[in-house]
Amino acid sequence: MEKTLKPLSGYLALVISLLLFVAGLYLFINGVDQNTTFVILGIICFIAFAFFMKGLMIIQPNHARVLNFFGKYVGSVKDNGLFFINPLYNSQKISLRSENLQGQTLKVNDKMGNPIEIGVVMVWKVGDTYKAAFDVERYSDFVKMQSEAAVRHLAMSFPYDNLEDDHAPITLREGGEKINQILEQELTDRLSKAGIIIQEARISHLAYASEIAGAMLQRQQATAIVAARTKIVEGAVGMVDLALKKLSAENIVELDDERKAAMVSNLMVVLCGEKAAQPILNAGTLYN
């Protein structure tokens, strides 16, 4: 569990270090030819100088240091500035800045077994320095591997679209923010053991795999054409029904069943045809 430390300010230790260095240099130079005791004191001052300098630690903004003492976790320092710690402490630098991860495009099968290509982009940062330092080996590599596993699991849990699964409540293509929320939660669950905070995760690339992309495009076009034709037919039937009712209500012309059938046929051809109909004038009657 992470434990935050408040170390001593390092400015006093820096001043003492400089004084020890000057004193050691002075004693060593003046004692070489005159007094051996000065040389020994000079060496002691240099050792003390090295001791104090080893304990000085500079922490940049949005960085932290994880400290341990002979294998025992001591705490984490998240404040910024110059500090003085026990020179025997071993420190590990960890960045607390937000980082972007542009995952590689993966080829996986969706819920219906169709091969698709999917890629994500995510923003993450270290939230718990203890977990990042000691619970996983190289937390940055851990983030990359677990993010790929999360994307694969997401792709296999939902269909690409609802062409094959009409009752699917969520699809990868139309899920939008809901899919992104599920992805963020999946990544949070997987990376929490490393002390990683997921700030944002979005699908950056989504497409059918190249081997079926052409067939799926034709299928989507056919589906769109059928849907458009259905709307056209529904509208045409309504217009024909309205025309017959208007003619009958206003007594414009009396039509028997055969004439109605011919009129309906002609109107449906005109309204549902892909090209403009060319009129033909009938100088006779329907029966001649």
Side-chain angles (χ1 to χ4, degrees):
M1 185 176 181
E2 185 183 67
K3 181 170 58 176
T4 304
L5 286 182
K6 299 292 184 179
L8 299 174
S9 176
Y11 293 101
L12 178 59
L14 178 61
V15 172
I16 295 175
S17 299
L18 294 176
L19 292 176
L20 287 172
F21 178 79
V22 172
L25 189 62
Y26 174 81
L27 292 172
F28 188 82
I29 293 175
N30 289 276
V32 171
D33 298 327
Q34 299 178 6
N35 194 335
T36 308
T37 304
F38 283 4
V39 175
I40 296 174
L41 291 176
I43 294 175
I44 294 175
C45 287
F46 281 133
I47 294 174
F49 164 76
F51 181 83
F52 274 92
M53 290 299 295
K54 178 65 170 61
L56 289 176
M57 177 177 64
I58 299 176
I59 301 181
Q60 303 293 339
N62 279 329
H63 283 77
R65 292 291 184 92
V66 179
L67 307 177
N68 62 82
F69 183 66
F70 293 108
K72 181 180 179 181
Y73 174 66
V74 177
S76 300
V77 181
K78 293 186 174 181
D79 294 333
N80 309 132
L82 179 64
F83 302 101
F84 179 75
I85 60 173
N86 188 336
L88 298 179
Y89 285 169
N90 183 30
S91 66
Q92 178 181 349
K93 183 188 296 184
I94 293 182
S95 174
L96 303 179
R97 297 175 180 174
S98 298
E99 297 189 37
N100 281 318
L101 175 62
Q102 177 66 56
Q104 62 178 342
T105 300
L106 305 176
K107 181 182 289 187
V108 296
N109 292 334
D110 68 354
K111 184 179 180 181
M112 307 307 297
N114 297 316
I116 64 173
E117 295 178 351
I118 185 172
V120 301
V121 59
M122 55 181 284
V123 182
W124 61 277
K125 69 175 184 178
V126 175
D128 190 315
T129 56
Y130 175 85
K131 292 182 178 180
F134 301 115
D135 284 358
V136 295
E137 186 73 24
R138 292 187 298 275
Y139 64 88
S140 57
D141 294 340
F142 184 82
V143 170
K144 294 179 182 178
M145 296 300 296
Q146 289 301 315
S147 62
E148 291 186 7
V151 172
R152 291 183 182 276
H153 183 263
L154 176 74
M156 295 173 62
S157 301
F158 300 98
Y160 179 86
D161 54 27
N162 52 11
L163 287 178
E164 295 187 6
D165 191 355
D166 296 335
H167 303 290
I170 303 177
T171 63
L172 295 174
R173 184 181 178 186
E174 300 177 355
E177 288 299 320
K178 183 63 176 178
I179 286 293
N180 292 330
Q181 291 174 4
I182 295 174
L183 176 61
E184 288 183 14
Q185 186 60 47
E186 177 81 12
L187 289 168
T188 298
D189 294 341
R190 289 176 176 270
L191 298 176
S192 60
K193 65 180 64 178
I196 304 299
I197 297 176
I198 301 299
Q199 297 176 302
E200 184 181 7
R202 293 285 183 271
I203 294 178
S204 59
H205 174 79
L206 182 64
Y208 280 112
S210 57
E211 57 265 27
I212 67 167
M216 287 301 178
L217 178 60
Q218 293 178 353
R219 182 175 181 177
Q220 291 174 356
Q221 292 173 342
T223 302
I225 292 173
V226 170
R229 286 294 178 185
T230 300
K231 289 292 184 181
I232 291 174
V233 171
E234 290 177 356
V237 170
M239 294 175 67
V240 170
D241 181 63
L242 178 61
L244 293 176
K245 288 181 179 179
K246 280 285 187 180
L247 292 172
S248 176
E250 298 181 9
N251 294 321
I252 296 176
V253 63
E254 292 290 337
L255 298 175
D256 57 18
D257 291 341
E258 189 172 353
R259 290 176 182 271
K260 287 182 179 179
M263 181 179 178
V264 169
S265 176
N266 292 334
L267 286 175
M268 291 298 292
V269 170
V270 172
L271 295 173
C272 298
E274 293 184 1
K275 298 181 179 180
Q278 297 181 354
I280 298 177
L281 297 177
N282 185 9
T285 65
L286 182 65
Y287 303 103
N288 295 321

